[in-house]
Amino acid sequence: MADHTRRYSSKIVDGPTKAPGRSMLRAVGFTDEDFKKPQIGIASTWAMVTPCNMHIDKLAEEARVGADEAGGKGVVFNTITISDGIANGFEGMKYSLVSREVIADSIETVAGCEAFDGLVTIGGCDKNMPGCLIAMARLNRPSVFVYGGTIQPGKNHTDIISVFEAVGQHAKGDIDLVQLEEVERNAIPGPGSCGGMYTANTMASAIEALGMSMPGSSAQDAVSEQKMADCRNASAAVMKLLENDIKPSDIMTRKAFENAITVIITLGGSTNGVLHLLAMANAMGVDLSIDDFTEIGKRVPLLADLRPSGHYMMSELVAIGGIQPLMKRLLDAGLLHGDCLTVTGKTLAENLADVEDYPADQQIIRSLDNPIKADSHLRILRGNLAPEGAVAKITGKEGEQFTGVAKVYDSEPESYQAILNGDVVAGDVVVIRYEGPKGGPGMQEMLSPTSAIMGRGLGDDVALMTDGRFSGGSHGFVVGHVSPEAADGGPIALVQNGDRITIDAITNQISLHLDEAELERRRAEWKAPEPRYKRGVLAKYAKLVGSASEGAVTDA
């Protein structure tokens, strides 16, 4: 092999002066021959804190074997993961978005210190994935991402969102405690990421479209031979990338990000996709803004009937071929850039050349001439409530315009309890603030309040806006990422109970029905809140983090 395949590892194992390092590596299983091989770091996000990642230790071992079989030396190391599904609705959820940065920092730290020549990263829950990609972009060494795979549906076609919404149904009195427990006990049958087009599957699909995972990686069951083979193939691909000196900067280009945006729009993907793609582009030095989602969304339709707004689950999309046939359709329609390089060493068009279309009788992916929505469900809204922008997820099923009366809450738990208590009624716009990147800190997901709204049967009659963000499982008339956030004195901090608010997903406007003089009067009276945390990771994050409109990144 050419010397560049050991561009980094040779610096820590070659020559007499590196005997101490070699001595330590011998203790973890290196042989004389291994010191001559490229070292491939296998970043595992395995943990028993969530079903999304509980099987990834086995996937990491498969990737290590694949690296060894391809002529490299695989070295497995771990980073953290947290569980949004468990943490939703309490203070611990503030660590969720923060974990994206911790994961990126830790992978960069290990790979940078240990001089790996290439990387395979394996993620399951939704912050692992952008965390892995941010680290890969920063390091810019030959790398492939592997998605941990999707979970199977629970009994009666249930999933984690079914449980959250059952809580709202129980609060309303539509189901009793026994029925709630029945959903709870059966909705999560085993390993894998949450089963709809929630954030995990959104990001897996985006990363495949970006060209940073192997074809098909985003649409495989967590427990399957296909997923094990994906791990082996990823390691073999890294070895080829090393031979050809192909790095993330060659793949994660502006056009590749446009492809990723296009695919998540067609799939009805999560609003978190906006936040994470902006952060990934920032790490790669690619110029991408929230307005690009608007421009691309004008020409790209919503095609997938997937949860949370639709009917089907990811495992059912897996069964008919995943996203590869969809991407082939988009490419043939001129909606994807086929000349983008991918981790296979081939272009996107070359990868898709022999892909067969979906079965004729499938109902999950609509044709381009019969979309669910003719343009994007991801709406970037602006107006006097969000001068720097906000992100809405409007499929059209909940309508495209809403005017209502503000009910204001200064924290997510406060709003959740109010909804469960029946304090929120038809015609309300629930305003949840001081939950932004800095103010939360950590930009909590609003899955508990949005699910409670749906469970109480108010999905068509209540809107919700926040400077926090949403789970990919949230649906209804919801607007997040309102920027500037309340903690920075953004207009959302000035809203009072009874104010009228209009959200318009046609004109992409979000408006507070007050004149500028009244806003200025309130602004003069506003006082910045004291930081909620003074020490530790949340305090550090609050000091470093930027606006949600730019991806909530901690790099300057």
Side-chain angles (χ1 to χ4, degrees):
M1 285 188 180
D3 289 340
H4 67 251
T5 63
R6 296 179 60 238
R7 179 180 174 188
Y8 298 99
S9 63
S10 63
K11 298 175 183 178
I12 65 166
V13 297
D14 286 2
T17 63
K18 300 305 176 184
R22 291 195 299 273
S23 180
M24 296 190 76
L25 289 171
R26 290 181 192 279
V28 297
F30 274 63
T31 66
D32 288 344
E33 286 302 311
D34 290 335
F35 294 126
K36 303 173 186 176
K37 300 173 182 176
Q39 292 185 31
I40 309 301
I42 314 292
S44 168
T45 59
W46 171 81
M48 290 300 289
V49 300
T50 171
C52 310
N53 294 63
M54 63 187 288
H55 62 303
I56 286 178
D57 56 339
K58 298 178 179 66
L59 300 185
E61 177 60 18
E62 202 71 13
R64 185 197 64 77
V65 170
D68 291 354
E69 289 178 345
K73 176 61 178 176
V75 182
V76 178
F77 67 99
N78 261 82
T79 184
I80 66 160
T81 189
I82 54 85
S83 173
D84 295 351
I86 296 170
N88 253 290
F90 103 110
E91 195 78 357
M93 186 61 192
K94 293 180 178 180
Y95 290 91
S96 173
L97 186 59
V98 176
S99 77
R100 184 188 75 182
E101 311 309 307
V102 176
I103 291 163
D105 290 350
S106 64
I107 293 174
E108 178 191 359
T109 299
V110 175
C113 180
E114 300 302 318
F116 297 132
D117 299 295
L119 282 172
V120 173
T121 63
I122 310 173
C125 201
D126 55 352
K127 304 310 171 300
N128 322 147
M129 290 181 272
C132 288
L133 268 289
I134 290 168
M136 291 154 71
R138 291 176 186 168
L139 290 158
N140 202 30
R141 301 176 192 185
S143 306
V144 177
F145 174 79
V146 174
Y147 178 41
T150 190
I151 198 171
Q152 293 298 301
K155 182 181 177 181
N156 298 323
H157 209 242
T158 53
D159 64 5
I160 185 61
I161 305 306
S162 307
V163 188
F164 275 97
E165 293 185 359
V167 173
Q169 292 169 328
H170 177 259
K172 187 182 178 185
D174 288 348
I175 62 174
D176 62 26
L177 189 59
V178 172
Q179 291 170 304
L180 173 59
E181 289 179 351
E182 175 71 9
V183 178
E184 171 195 332
R185 293 180 188 279
N186 293 287
I188 313 295
S193 296
C194 298
M197 190 47 63
Y198 311 143
T199 305
N201 284 315
T202 296
M203 292 313 302
S205 301
I207 293 166
E208 182 175 333
L210 190 66
M212 285 299 295
S213 61
M214 298 299 285
S217 183
S218 71
Q220 294 166 339
D221 294 327
V223 180
S224 64
E225 178 49 42
Q226 289 78 15
K227 183 48 65 183
M228 300 293 267
D230 186 33
C231 295
R232 297 190 297 272
N233 293 339
S235 293
V238 170
M239 294 297 291
K240 291 183 179 178
L241 294 173
L242 278 166
E243 290 180 36
N244 294 292
D245 197 25
I246 297 173
K247 300 180 289 295
S249 57
D250 300 310
I251 298 171
M252 296 171 66
T253 62
R254 164 71 191 211
K255 290 199 295 184
F257 276 100
E258 291 180 2
N259 285 347
I261 293 169
T262 297
V263 168
I264 66 170
I265 289 172
T266 61
L267 290 169
S270 165
T271 52
N272 283 316
V274 178
L275 195 72
H276 296 327
L277 285 171
L278 290 173
M280 289 156 54
N282 175 276
M284 196 72 264
V286 170
D287 184 18
L288 192 73
S289 77
I290 55 172
D291 295 320
D292 293 314
F293 288 81
T294 297
E295 291 306 309
I296 293 169
K298 291 176 181 177
R299 62 179 183 267
V300 177
L302 169 58
L303 301 176
D305 185 18
L306 293 167
R307 291 191 179 189
S309 299
H311 175 70
Y312 294 97
M313 294 190 184
M314 192 67 182
S315 58
E316 294 166 298
L317 181 60
V318 170
I320 64 166
I323 71 167
Q324 289 278 296
L326 170 62
M327 290 173 66
K328 179 70 181 299
R329 288 183 180 182
L330 295 172
L331 178 68
D332 291 345
L335 293 173
L336 291 180
H337 302 289
D339 58 344
C340 288
L341 189 63
T342 73
V343 293
T344 65
K346 299 178 181 179
T347 65
L348 183 69
E350 290 171 328
N351 289 343
L352 295 172
D354 298 323
V355 171
E356 297 181 1
D357 200 10
Y358 293 115
D361 60 349
Q362 65 86 26
Q363 301 294 314
I364 303 174
I365 303 294
R366 296 270 193 98
S367 62
L368 284 159
D369 59 3
N370 181 34
I372 294 170
K373 190 172 187 289
D375 57 2
S376 178
H377 65 298
L378 295 174
R379 315 301 293 190
I380 307 302
L381 310 181
R382 295 184 187 271
N384 67 348
L385 260 175
E388 294 178 4
V391 182
K393 183 178 178 181
I394 311 289
T395 66
K397 294 180 180 180
E398 56 283 283
E400 294 185 300
Q401 295 172 313
F402 192 100
T403 297
V405 177
K407 281 228 173 116
V408 182
Y409 303 95
D410 286 347
S411 72
E412 187 263 1
E414 182 187 354
S415 71
Y416 182 46
Q417 197 57 54
I419 296 164
L420 292 179
N421 291 344
D423 297 340
V424 171
V425 298
D428 284 344
V429 179
V430 177
V431 179
I432 307 174
R433 63 191 180 191
Y434 296 104
E435 293 289 11
K438 181 186 296 184
M443 215 176 176
Q444 290 197 88
E445 289 183 349
M446 302 297 157
L447 181 55
S448 291
T450 59
S451 296
I453 287 169
M454 300 304 292
R456 291 191 67 89
L458 293 169
D460 294 333
D461 303 310
V462 167
L464 188 150
M465 61 170 286
T466 179
D467 54 5
R469 61 193 178 89
F470 296 108
S471 163
S474 293
H475 57 125
F477 218 101
V478 297
V479 181
H481 309 197
V482 173
S483 301
E485 62 175 291
D488 278 336
I492 190 172
L494 310 179
V495 181
Q496 297 178 2
N497 287 325
D499 289 345
R500 287 180 62 77
I501 293 172
T502 293
I503 303 164
D504 192 326
I506 299 173
T507 63
N508 296 329
Q509 292 284 313
I510 182 165
S511 304
L512 180 62
H513 292 263
L514 293 175
D515 59 32
E516 189 58 33
E518 175 60 16
L519 284 173
E520 283 300 323
R521 184 189 69 77
R522 293 184 187 183
R523 189 172 287 114
E525 295 177 353
W526 178 81
K527 294 181 180 180
E530 284 291 312
R532 285 173 167 165
Y533 292 84
K534 304 294 179 63
R535 298 177 66 84
V537 68
L538 293 178
K540 293 174 189 174
Y541 182 85
K543 288 179 180 178
L544 292 172
V545 72
S547 171
S549 64
E550 296 176 348
V553 299
T554 54
D555 286 334

